Amino acid sequence: ARAPRCPVMTPSAVHADNPYPQVWGPPATLATRSDNLVCAMVGLPARGKTYIARKLCQYISFFYGSPCKVFNVGEYLLRLVDGKFQKATFFDESNAEAKALRRQASDNAVSDLCEWMAARKASKRKCAPENSEADKCSSYISGEFGAVAIYDATNSTKDRRAWLLEKLKPLGAKVVFLEVVCSDEDRLAENMASTHRTLQVQEVLSAEDTAAEIRERIGYYQQVYEPLSEQEFSWIKFVDGGREISLHNLRGFMASRFAQFLLNLHGQRRPIFFSRHGQSEYNRLGKIGGDSVLTEHGEEYASALAQWVDKEVKQDSEGKARPARLWTSSLKRTRLTARHIRHDSVCLPNGTEWVQMRPKMFRNLDEIYAGLCDGMTYEEIEREFPEEAAARKGDKFEYRYPRGESYTDLISRLEPMAHEMERSQETLLVVAHQAILRVLYAYFMGKPREACPDVSIPLNTVIKLTPTVEGCLEERFTLLPNLQGKEKDPASH
């Protein structure tokens, strides 16, 4: 029988004289124009600027809830040329007609950026309640730390950077330049290969011709390129995938988050694998939370996972051994699921001995805490806490279990893990829980934070995410069939 609960701890049993309760909800901070920030990319082609811009945008919007959008000048240019790939001579400064088109693309991108940040599109901002004091202010609601726009272009000369600052001046926003420098030939080759994978190039050129065209294009930019050196600007220099990072005149919380993120970023596109634990006893009983062990079916999955990892995680597509890491939560069901994975040693190219899949446990990866509802079924929650059950159905993302956690809490808890995952240069397998993997999946797949509760993370399945310039490629592998009467749809957070 369930242990009796203290009535004082039951939310519905507490009646305080509190006509003006503090309400937890989405960010509703009044932001001024100076809270907003524009990040202007700087760098030669094929340096990874677009990859970094998109990763940075997702990080800011996902973990801080600030509106963030990338304005890629290359995409604006494609619209002007009907989506057709342009030869390298198109980027020659002496090509007056092409130069006019490139300037037009830049103007269009900056105009859209300014319109977006000025909050002229109602759908981009939350509106203050009618007749509220906020209506009488010149401020507007744009997230806890203001809005962020990323202007993704080469911005290769001092004149162009001065032009950009002049165009952005009416916004009143802070501007930070982010210069991406890359002299590593392997990284350049990988970035060129990513360019070739785009439709506009595949239809016209081979991979070899693409590399030659891009190198010729780079040559035209190098003729006029001026590295960032303006002392009056705020800027960050990101060299060779984070080997060296320089900060100049950088102020403010959000700008410091840029630097923090870049410190853990690298350009190596290694895959990440996600797996839920095998079916647990609480899954079988329909209970949420807890720290139960695996069922017989869960043990079957643990064995199947270990065999699959040997072939698919520890080896690359050519069958060569690659260094790989293993992370679990501190709860029994994830550690039991991963316990059959072998930890053999391999010798890395630099002569270092690497222990494959050495297990590392993180409390940050523990399942969302259900507080007073921990270990209950949803039927029991509806019976004992009807108000809580109704609140959860009304807003699953913002809902916080009594004395427990919400998805917004999870996002804050998982930010350090996102940094660690971005920092890791080896293939990674994360064995964790449904709500945890929903958050991590939504982050890496570029989804809005509010979409976390709707992400499908089924049992007996490994999800592989491979980073690309455009985002992540997703593959799903079902290791065990859904056996009737044996594998049930578990309780969902």
Side-chain angles (χ1 to χ4, degrees):
R2 178 180 300 280
R5 295 181 182 271
C6 176
V8 176
M9 295 178 63
T10 304
S12 58
V14 178
H15 299 284
D17 183 14
N18 184 17
Y20 306 108
Q22 177 177 333
V23 178
W24 175 264
T29 300
L30 288 175
T32 63
R33 296 194 310 163
S34 62
D35 290 321
N36 294 329
L37 193 150
V38 177
C39 176
M41 306 300 292
V42 177
L44 294 168
R47 265 51 186 176
K49 298 188 300 298
T50 296
Y51 175 77
I52 292 173
R54 288 176 175 167
K55 294 285 288 184
L56 183 59
C57 181
Q58 175 64 1
Y59 169 72
I60 293 299
S61 62
F62 193 87
F63 286 106
Y64 293 97
S66 293
C68 188
K69 187 173 181 179
V70 177
F71 297 84
N72 181 281
V73 172
E75 294 178 357
Y76 282 84
L77 180 59
L78 280 174
R79 296 172 198 166
L80 294 177
V81 296
D82 299 324
K84 296 177 181 177
F85 176 74
Q86 301 299 309
K87 294 285 189 177
T89 52
F90 185 86
F91 301 90
D92 186 348
E93 282 292 299
S94 64
N95 187 336
E97 183 180 353
K99 184 175 180 178
L101 282 172
R102 290 188 284 121
R103 292 291 185 265
Q104 183 62 51
S106 298
D107 284 337
N108 293 347
V110 172
S111 295
D112 283 356
L113 184 157
C114 292
E115 182 181 355
W116 179 81
M117 185 160 276
R120 291 181 184 144
K121 297 179 180 177
S123 61
K124 298 297 183 184
R125 298 287 184 269
K126 296 179 183 296
C127 296
E130 290 186 15
N131 302 319
S132 69
E133 287 299 313
D135 282 340
K136 303 174 184 177
C137 301
S138 59
S139 306
Y140 59 87
I141 296 173
S142 65
E144 293 285 341
F145 302 103
V148 177
I150 302 179
Y151 181 71
D152 184 11
T154 56
N155 294 311
S156 52
T157 67
K158 291 182 179 180
D159 285 344
R160 290 305 291 171
R161 296 192 283 268
W163 168 85
L164 179 61
L165 284 179
E166 189 65 28
K167 296 284 285 187
L168 296 175
K169 189 177 292 184
L171 288 177
K174 298 182 179 70
V175 180
V176 174
F177 289 95
L178 171 53
E179 184 176 22
V180 182
V181 180
C182 182
S183 57
D184 187 305
E185 286 298 323
D186 290 337
R187 291 182 187 274
L188 289 174
E190 185 176 358
N191 291 336
M192 291 177 191
S194 297
T195 301
H196 179 257
R197 284 192 289 268
T198 63
L199 179 62
Q200 291 81 10
V201 177
Q202 286 177 333
E203 291 180 342
V204 179
L205 300 174
S206 65
E208 295 76 15
D209 290 341
T210 298
E213 279 288 330
I214 294 176
R215 289 188 184 280
E216 186 179 350
R217 181 189 301 185
I218 292 171
Y220 286 121
Y221 275 101
Q222 284 177 325
Q223 293 175 10
V224 298
Y225 189 75
E226 296 174 290
L228 266 174
S229 61
E230 295 91 327
Q231 293 301 301
E232 67 275 20
F233 293 177
S234 296
W235 46 257
I236 304 171
K237 285 195 178 186
F238 185 74
V239 182
D240 288 340
R243 179 179 56 81
E244 178 184 335
I245 297 179
S246 302
L247 310 179
H248 176 77
N249 198 25
L250 205 65
R251 296 185 179 90
F253 174 78
M254 193 58 75
S256 72
R257 293 298 87 195
F258 288 8
Q260 175 72 21
F261 179 75
L262 291 169
L263 283 170
N264 293 290
L265 188 65
H266 58 81
Q268 297 185 22
R269 318 269 169 87
R270 80 287 181 271
I272 299 172
F273 296 86
F274 292 148
S275 172
R276 279 181 71 185
H277 53 77
Q279 186 192 50
S280 69
E281 287 291 347
Y282 272 22
N283 287 153
R284 184 177 61 82
L285 297 172
K287 296 176 178 287
I288 63 174
D291 193 14
S292 61
V293 297
L294 300 180
T295 64
E296 181 182 348
H297 185 57
E299 292 287 355
E300 289 180 29
Y301 177 73
S303 298
L305 178 64
Q307 296 177 20
W308 191 85
V309 164
D310 280 342
K311 298 178 181 178
E312 302 294 338
V313 179
K314 297 180 184 178
Q315 299 179 359
D316 60 21
S317 58
E318 298 177 355
K320 298 179 182 178
R322 61 183 176 190
R325 297 177 181 269
L326 169 64
W327 293 357
T328 72
S329 76
S330 70
L331 300 178
K332 295 174 186 174
R333 52 194 184 273
T334 62
R335 292 186 285 119
L336 291 173
T337 300
R339 77 184 187 281
H340 299 302
I341 297 174
R342 295 188 301 114
H343 311 300
D344 41 309
S345 297
V346 296
C347 186
L348 301 180
N350 61 5
T352 304
E353 184 179 4
W354 176 272
V355 178
Q356 290 280 54
M357 309 299 287
R358 191 198 302 266
K360 190 169 184 179
M361 182 182 71
F362 291 95
R363 288 294 300 271
N364 288 53
L365 292 175
D366 287 359
E367 181 60 297
I368 188 171
Y369 182 49
L372 298 181
C373 301
D374 188 59
M376 299 176 70
T377 66
Y378 282 113
E379 291 76 14
E380 290 172 331
I381 294 173
E382 287 192 18
R383 184 172 62 250
E384 297 192 30
F385 301 133
E387 296 172 2
E388 296 297 325
R392 179 179 176 275
K393 288 180 181 178
D395 189 347
K396 195 173 178 181
F397 176 72
E398 293 286 351
Y399 171 75
R400 177 180 283 110
Y401 285 99
R403 302 207 173 196
E405 290 181 301
S406 67
Y407 271 96
T408 54
D409 297 324
L410 272 195
I411 288 173
S412 297
R413 169 148 66 92
L414 288 171
E415 185 189 1
M417 303 310 304
H419 282 298
E420 282 294 294
M421 294 172 77
E422 297 285 8
R423 182 188 68 82
S424 175
Q425 299 185 25
E426 295 79 28
T427 298
L428 173 65
L429 169 64
V430 180
V431 181
H433 308 268
Q434 182 167 242
I436 295 294
L437 295 181
R438 280 173 169 169
V439 172
L440 293 176
Y441 174 95
Y443 167 64
F444 281 100
M445 289 300 292
K447 294 182 177 294
R449 52 198 264 143
E450 293 81 8
C452 290
D454 300 321
V455 172
S456 173
I457 308 288
L459 288 176
N460 302 336
T461 302
V462 178
I463 300 173
K464 178 182 179 181
L465 302 183
T466 305
T468 68
V469 172
E470 296 79 18
C472 279
L473 296 177
E474 176 186 354
E475 299 173 81
R476 295 195 175 214
F477 305 88
T478 301
L479 306 193
L480 286 183
N482 295 337
L483 302 179
Q484 187 65 31
K486 195 172 185 181
E487 194 242 322
K488 298 179 179 180
D489 186 21
S492 169
H493 281 290

